[in-house]
Amino acid sequence: MTATTDAQGRIWLIQGTSTSGAVTSQLAYWAPGADDIVPAGSDVNYGYVYRSTFLISNNGRFVVFQGQEGDMATLTDTTSMATRKVDVGGNNQHTHIAVDNSGNIWSIGTGLGLRRLGLNGAVTLFNLPGDRPNQVIGFDHAQPNWLWGTGYAGASLIDVETLSNRTLPVHGLIEGLALNSQGGATLLTRNGTMTSTSYFLEYLP
C-alpha cells in the first residue's frame, strides 16, 4: 500500500486485497477522524499494486491512478471529487507520466516527443531540443513549470512554458530520482565495471 495527502488533509492510497487467489488494487482515501477507508469510485484493477502508477499534483488537488501500464487511468479532482477516465499512454507509446497543478498529464516515450493531455481532453505534442529524456518523473516543488526527467545522457529539466530542455550530467547511470520538498532532486547513480561497481547519491538544485 502506498499513500499521499491531498490539499484537504485526506490520505489517498492504493489498497490491495487478495480474495480467493485473485489480487486486486483500488484507489481509496481516508479522512482524519473517519473510521473507515473509502473507495474512490468503483474501478477495481486486477494485478499487484506495484504494477500501478499513483501520482498526486504538488498542490494536492489532482490524483492519477493507473492500474497497469497501458491501461486507461483515473483522474480525480480532490476539491470537487469529480472523477473521469483518461488515456494517459497515447496507445501505449508514452508510458511514463506526471501531473501538474492544473491537472494536465504529461508523458514521454523513448524516441518520442513530450505529450500533454489537458483537462478538456485535448492532446498536444511538443518536440524538445537537445537530448530528450526517456521518462518524466514529476514537477519541481519550487518551480512548478519545471518537469524532471531521466535519460541516457543524465537528468533532464524541461521548462514546460518555454519548452526548453536542459541536460544535467551525472556520475553514471541513474538508478532512481526523488524530488526534494524544497525544490531540486536527489539521484542514485551507478558506475563501474564487470568486477567493481560504485553508487553515488547526488543532489541537483
Side-chain angles (χ1 to χ4, degrees), residues 1-5 11-16 25-29 37 49-56 63-65:
M1 182 175 68
T2 184
T4 192
T5 306
I11 298 175
W12 289 77
L13 52 95
I14 305 303
Q15 190 174 31
S25 57
Q26 185 176 22
L27 182 65
Y29 65 89
I37 294 174
V49 176
Y50 69 82
R51 294 175 179 169
S52 64
T53 298
F54 176 47
L55 306 170
I56 192 166
V63 173
V64 179
F65 173 53

Side-chain angles (χ1 to χ4, degrees), residues 147-171:
L147 177 60
W148 285 91
T150 60
Y152 298 116
S156 292
L157 197 54
I158 304 166
D159 188 325
V160 298
E161 290 186 355
T162 64
L163 294 180
S164 60
N165 177 34
R166 184 158 53 106
T167 300
L168 308 174
V170 295
H171 296 88

Side-chain angles (χ1 to χ4, degrees), residues 24-202:
T24 62
S25 57
Q26 185 176 22
L27 182 65
Y29 65 89
W30 176 80
D35 293 329
D36 300 313
I37 294 174
V38 180
S42 58
D43 290 335
V44 175
N45 294 270
Y46 290 89
Y48 291 95
V49 176
Y50 69 82
R51 294 175 179 169
S52 64
T53 298
F54 176 47
L55 306 170
I56 192 166
S57 58
N58 288 345
N59 61 1
R61 178 173 177 179
F62 296 97
V63 173
V64 179
F65 173 53
Q66 184 182 30
Q68 296 189 63
E69 187 175 289
D71 288 353
M72 294 285 284
T74 300
L75 175 65
T76 301
D77 184 334
T78 64
T79 301
S80 64
M81 297 301 287
T83 299
R84 63 188 180 93
K85 302 291 282 186
V86 293
D87 177 12
V88 298
N91 296 322
N92 295 337
Q93 293 180 324
H94 293 70
T95 56
H96 303 282
I97 62 177
V99 59
D100 65 23
N101 288 338
S102 299
N104 300 305
I105 298 175
W106 299 78
S107 58
I108 202 165
T110 302
L112 301 172
L114 185 66
R115 178 182 188 264
R116 182 186 65 200
L117 173 64
L119 274 177
N120 60 357
V123 174
T124 307
L125 298 176
F126 305 97
N127 288 319
L128 295 174
D131 294 317
R132 290 180 294 191
N134 296 327
Q135 61 178 323
V136 294
I137 303 298
F139 283 87
D140 192 90
H141 285 273
Q143 300 290 339
N145 58 305
W146 288 0
L147 177 60
W148 285 91
T150 60
Y152 298 116
S156 292
L157 197 54
I158 304 166
D159 188 325
V160 298
E161 290 186 355
T162 64
L163 294 180
S164 60
N165 177 34
R166 184 158 53 106
T167 300
L168 308 174
V170 295
H171 296 88
L173 298 175
I174 298 176
E175 294 287 324
L177 185 152
L179 301 178
N180 302 324
S181 61
Q182 301 301 315
T186 300
L187 294 85
L188 177 66
T189 59
R190 173 174 55 87
N191 202 345
T193 64
M194 294 289 291
T195 58
S196 177
T197 301
S198 298
Y199 290 88
F200 301 90
L201 196 62
E202 304 184 40

